[in-house]
């Protein structure tokens, strides 16, 4: 019955396409089924774009195309109500550079995680090994007869109880040794006195016997 003809400046489409661009070397096109460029984000470029026929095999997709400027990543999507296709072209070097940056970030994060993990592991290990080492050294000295040793550390964990028990054990052993030593001295002294008590009368008896003879 009639035809409605709507006119739109191509610059409007071009401005819209420019907003899509995320890279300086990226180009965005709108083409029809005959590969005719309807609009482009780069209006100053006179280089024509010849998309691969595979662009129209599906509504959306991507492929890597080869041009005189090297490999380029082509991403496309077809507008069904207009049969226009929006195509984004970006050099693979820039795509890979972003990936390399992500890889660099991943490596840095991995190294940071390893370093932090090593520091935390070393700190935790040291917090456990240090009191064990002190207790081991004290036990070695006690095994060699140094019962006057004690562990003087103020802690708020199970090692404090171990240190207290060790100090109490060493103190008890030291007390018992001192008591035993004193008892042995008293016993030896009593034995010596008993021996002297036996020797003196016998000595006098011998003297008297010699005088009688």
């Amino acid at each position: 019955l009639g035809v409605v003809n709507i006119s739109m400046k191509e610059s409007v489409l071009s401005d819209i396409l420019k907003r899509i661009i995320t890279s300086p070397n990226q180009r965005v096109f709108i083409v029809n089924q005959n590969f005719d460029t309807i609009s482009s984000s780069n209006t100053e470029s006179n280089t024509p774009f010849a998309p691969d026929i595979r662009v129209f095999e599906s509504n959306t997709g991507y492929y890597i195309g080869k041009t005189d400027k090297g490999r380029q990543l082509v991403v496309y999507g077809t507008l069904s109500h207009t049969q226009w296709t929006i195509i984004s072209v970006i050099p693979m070097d820039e795509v890979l550079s972003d990936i390399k940056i992500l890889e660099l970030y991943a490596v840095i994060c991995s190294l940071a995680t390893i370093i932090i993990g090593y520091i935390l592991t070393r700190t935790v290990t040291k917090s456990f090994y240090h009191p064990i080492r002190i207790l081991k050294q004290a036990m070695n000295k006690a095994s060699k007869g140094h019962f006057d040793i004690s562990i003087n550390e103020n802690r708020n964990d199970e090692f404090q109880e171990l240190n207290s028990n060790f100090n109490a054990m060493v103190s008890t052993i030291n007390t018992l040794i001192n008591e035993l030593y004193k008892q042995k001295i008293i016993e030896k002294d009593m034995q010596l006195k008993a021996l002297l008590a036996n020797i003196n009368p016998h000595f006098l008896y011998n003297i008297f016997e010699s005088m009688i003879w």
Side-chain angles (χ1 to χ4, degrees), residues 16 39 47 57 59 69 95 100 111 114 149 165 175 204:
I16 295 174
S39 180
T47 303
E57 292 181 356
N59 292 331
K69 295 183 179 181
V95 177
K100 290 180 180 179
L111 290 177
I114 293 173
I149 189 173
N165 293 334
T175 302
L204 292 175

Side-chain angles (χ1 to χ4, degrees), residues 17-30:
L17 296 179
K18 288 178 181 179
R19 298 173 188 173
I20 304 175
I21 294 177
T22 58
S23 173
N25 296 322
Q26 183 181 5
R27 294 183 296 167
V28 183
F29 301 91
I30 296 179

Side-chain angles (χ1 to χ4, degrees), residues 74-138:
V74 181
V75 182
Y76 60 89
T78 302
L79 304 176
S80 58
H81 58 282
T82 61
Q83 295 301 316
W84 288 356
T85 302
I86 300 178
I87 303 173
S88 173
V89 182
I90 183 172
M92 285 297 298
D93 294 337
E94 294 188 8
V95 177
L96 295 177
S97 65
D98 294 337
I99 296 177
K100 290 180 180 179
I101 292 176
L102 293 177
E103 291 178 350
L104 179 61
Y105 286 157
V107 171
I108 293 175
C109 291
S110 300
L111 290 177
T113 303
I114 293 173
I115 293 173
I116 294 174
Y118 173 76
I119 294 174
L120 290 177
T121 303
R122 186 176 178 83
T123 303
V124 173
T125 303
K126 186 177 180 180
S127 65
F128 281 98
Y129 178 73
H130 177 70
I132 294 176
R133 181 172 58 85
I134 293 179
L135 182 60
K136 180 181 178 181
Q137 292 176 352

